[in-house]
Amino acid sequence: MSSVVEEIRETARQLLADGKVDVVIGYEKGTLPLKATPCFVRTAQNVDKLIWDETCENNLAAFSYKIPGKKAIITKGCDSRALVVLLQENQLVKDDLYIIGVSCQGVVDKRKIENELGEIIEATITDGKISVKGMSGSGEFTFAEVKDATCQTCRYPNPVIEDIHLGGTVEVPEEAVLFADVLEMEAKSDSEREAYFGEQMDKCIRCYSCRNACPLCYCQECFVDCNTPRWLTGGVNRAENLFFQAGRVLHLAGRCVDCGTCSRACPQGVDIRALNRKMSRDVLEMYQHESGISEDVKPALNVYSGDDPEAFLVKE
């Protein structure tokens, strides 16, 4: 057991024993290989179920506003950015929140392994090596080989807000080109982009797992569920799927923290993140704003200035 896990358990035990929080939101070993699951520890006797490793992929901020009372939450960099946005939008009360910050090296992308070995039967992680037995064979991978795409471009692996930090920090290498994936997509022709996203939308079954997993999709009634006005017919086809995904991206403009939870939650492997990344780049370029970096910086679309550029207006 790593020292970070020991620190997490001891911190959780102390917080619960002292009555400072009613629940600790963290991760426990899941029933599927290479899959941790969120857990909610309410007594000091149960803290030993808490874990911390490369399988802890869920953004726990999604549960922060659903559970009443005082809560502690184990927080990666992307989780902390989501908490900042939720605090800015008055979905959380800071006095009811105790943030246990832990730096993140990234999480495992199970799909990369399953593409080679089929459905995973057994898996172990030892010293950065992932040994896997799958339905189609066995193999060993380095963590770098199966690291989630979101984590490969993450520039905030260390929490931006926390009440206590456990373990060390992660050094972030300087990216040669920021948003290189978005620039690559923009370089394609209109027909190439249309074909790519058409293919992605054909895979979508509109199960709404992306929306349900997102920490910032907290509307009590989503626009796609409205009857008045009725935005969608309820059919599952390319056009309606794209309308849903595009609408969701627009609602996350200046808010998305690029945690990748939506893509990982998708059972069909739809490249949802490509749309979100494009919007994040546009917001950074037009408003010089990155979401969830600081509580003191107001969200991009919540601010008006007389000096705002108006290049979209045609001036005589």
Side-chain angles (χ1 to χ4, degrees), residues 221-233 243:
E221 183 179 39
C222 180
F223 77 101
V224 298
D225 298 324
C226 291
N227 289 322
T228 307
R230 190 170 185 178
W231 296 96
L232 297 173
T233 67
F243 187 94

Side-chain angles (χ1 to χ4, degrees), residues 82-118:
L83 290 174
V84 168
V85 175
L86 291 168
L87 287 166
Q88 290 173 328
E89 296 177 353
N90 298 317
Q91 298 302 307
L92 291 173
V93 178
K94 182 61 177 71
D95 289 344
D96 291 341
L97 197 63
Y98 189 89
I99 302 173
I100 302 172
V102 187
S103 295
C104 175
Q105 297 279 0
V107 298
V108 172
D109 183 349
K110 287 181 60 178
R111 288 192 180 99
K112 290 182 179 178
I113 298 174
E114 291 172 338
N115 287 340
E116 290 193 31
L117 303 179

Side-chain angles (χ1 to χ4, degrees), residues 42-55:
R42 299 181 183 276
T43 65
Q45 292 73 30
N46 289 330
V47 299
D48 287 342
K49 67 168 63 174
L50 291 168
I51 66 168
W52 178 260
D53 60 23
E54 297 89 344
T55 68

Side-chain angles (χ1 to χ4, degrees), residues 59-273:
N59 190 325
L60 298 182
F63 304 98
S64 61
Y65 51 87
K66 298 174 182 177
I67 298 177
K70 293 187 177 296
K71 75 269 307 187
I73 181 168
I74 297 169
T75 307
K76 307 187 292 292
C78 51
D79 300 35
S80 72
R81 292 179 62 192
L83 290 174
V84 168
V85 175
L86 291 168
L87 287 166
Q88 290 173 328
E89 296 177 353
N90 298 317
Q91 298 302 307
L92 291 173
V93 178
K94 182 61 177 71
D95 289 344
D96 291 341
L97 197 63
Y98 189 89
I99 302 173
I100 302 172
V102 187
S103 295
C104 175
Q105 297 279 0
V107 298
V108 172
D109 183 349
K110 287 181 60 178
R111 288 192 180 99
K112 290 182 179 178
I113 298 174
E114 291 172 338
N115 287 340
E116 290 193 31
L117 303 179
E119 184 178 348
I120 300 172
I121 301 172
E122 296 177 5
T124 57
I125 302 176
T126 307
D127 298 329
K129 297 284 187 179
I130 303 170
S131 300
V132 179
K133 178 181 179 182
M135 293 289 286
S136 303
S138 300
E140 186 175 83
F141 304 84
T142 64
F143 176 57
E145 291 175 321
V146 293
K147 190 175 183 179
D148 188 86
T150 305
C151 307
Q152 293 178 26
T153 58
C154 177
R155 295 187 296 117
Y156 298 96
N158 305 304
V160 300
I161 180 176
E162 57 191 1
D163 293 299
I164 186 175
H165 187 89
L166 305 181
T169 58
V170 175
E171 184 176 349
V172 187
E174 191 71 27
E175 283 189 85
V177 180
L178 198 60
F179 288 104
D181 53 328
V182 179
L183 294 173
E184 182 180 352
M185 182 63 71
E186 289 178 346
K188 296 180 183 295
S189 66
D190 291 348
S191 58
E192 287 175 322
R193 288 197 299 270
E194 182 180 4
Y196 178 78
F197 286 108
E199 180 185 343
Q200 296 302 308
M201 292 306 111
D202 282 340
K203 294 190 291 185
C204 177
I205 59 175
R206 289 254 298 287
C207 62
Y208 300 130
S209 290
C210 52
R211 177 192 68 183
N212 297 342
C214 177
L216 301 174
C217 278
Y218 56 73
C219 293
Q220 292 187 4
E221 183 179 39
C222 180
F223 77 101
V224 298
D225 298 324
C226 291
N227 289 322
T228 307
R230 190 170 185 178
W231 296 96
L232 297 173
T233 67
V236 178
N237 57 60
R238 176 184 291 194
E240 295 216 355
N241 293 345
L242 182 57
F243 187 94
F244 162 64
Q245 293 294 354
R248 184 171 170 273
V249 167
L250 289 170
H251 291 175
L252 288 169
R255 304 174 62 240
C256 176
V257 297
D258 194 22
C259 63
T261 296
C262 54
S263 295
R264 290 192 294 271
C266 178
Q268 299 296 100
V270 178
D271 187 8
I272 303 166
R273 183 171 175 255

